[in-house]
Each structure stands twice: as C-alpha cells, then as structure tokens.
Amino acid sequence: MTYEEAVEVLETMEDLYHGKFKLTKRRVQFLIPLLEKMEFDGVMGKLFNHASAYPFPPTIADIAHHLPEQNENLEQVKQWEEEAAKVPEEVKLRFEEMFEELVRKVSS
C-alpha cells in the first residue's frame, strides 16, 4: 500500500477506537513501514471485521494482509510448457525413442 493509504488505516483505527488508540509520532514512524508492505483493501477489511467484533484496537498482526508471493518456479514451468507446445510432434517422438534406447543401454 502507499504511504497515504497506510496513514488512512491508522486514522481509521484512531476514529474507530477513539480514546483507545492514539496516533503519536513514534507510533506512526513504526507502523507506516509495516503497513506499506501490506495490501490496503485486505487490511481495511480485516480492520472493519475486527471493529465489529472487538471493543479494543487490533494489533498489526490482527489486521495484516499480504498478497501471495509470486512463485518463480511455477512461472518457469509455465514457460517450459509453452515452449514444449511449439516443438513439432515428430521431434518429440524421436526424442522419446532416443531416451528409451538410452535407458535400455544403461539397464543392460
């Protein structure tokens, strides 16, 4: 999330928990970098869910929402599958024959 969105989260917490959650310079300096690593809509959703269930302010862990990290291995597999789909069928068959021959030689 952006800096401005992180500030909005903290101001919303202060509004929802008037008198129980006060923004101080130190608290803002500590919490903004943590919030900036999170996803705004998910955090706000968790904040509103928390506010509807609990009379006390949430911790950052209570409202934390991170987007899933992109799996580079899956991306690589997708790329290989796309490349394999472009290989002509006769090349695939020839490779399979050569592989089976190699397996027979090694097995003997």
Side-chain angles (χ1 to χ4, degrees):
M1 79 176 66
T2 64
Y3 177 87
E4 292 76 18
E5 290 171 331
V7 169
E8 184 176 339
V9 169
L10 295 177
E11 288 175 345
T12 301
M13 287 175 65
E14 188 174 47
D15 290 343
L16 290 171
Y17 294 100
H18 186 71
K20 296 177 184 175
F21 182 84
K22 295 184 182 187
L23 288 178
T24 63
K25 183 177 179 180
R26 180 181 166 109
R27 185 173 276 176
V28 168
Q29 287 175 338
F30 178 75
L31 295 177
I32 293 286
L34 296 175
L35 288 168
E36 286 178 323
K37 296 176 185 174
M38 299 179 197
E39 195 270 326
F40 177 73
D41 291 330
V43 169
M44 290 300 281
K46 285 188 164 189
L47 176 57
F48 288 123
N49 287 340
H50 184 92
S52 67
Y54 302 101
F56 51 86
T59 65
I60 290 298
D62 291 330
I63 61 171
H65 187 269
H66 299 276
L67 292 175
E69 290 185 26
Q70 196 169 15
N71 186 330
E72 293 178 18
N73 294 328
L74 287 178
E75 294 299 321
Q76 183 66 55
V77 169
K78 286 179 187 176
Q79 180 184 350
W80 290 337
E81 287 173 345
E82 290 171 5
E83 291 172 3
K86 296 175 185 175
V87 175
E89 199 60 36
E90 53 274 359
V91 173
K92 292 178 185 178
L93 290 173
R94 180 69 183 131
F95 177 80
E96 188 175 341
E97 290 169 2
M98 292 172 65
F99 180 73
E100 288 173 1
E101 184 179 328
L102 178 63
V103 169
R104 278 194 298 274
K105 285 180 182 178
V106 173
S107 300
S108 306

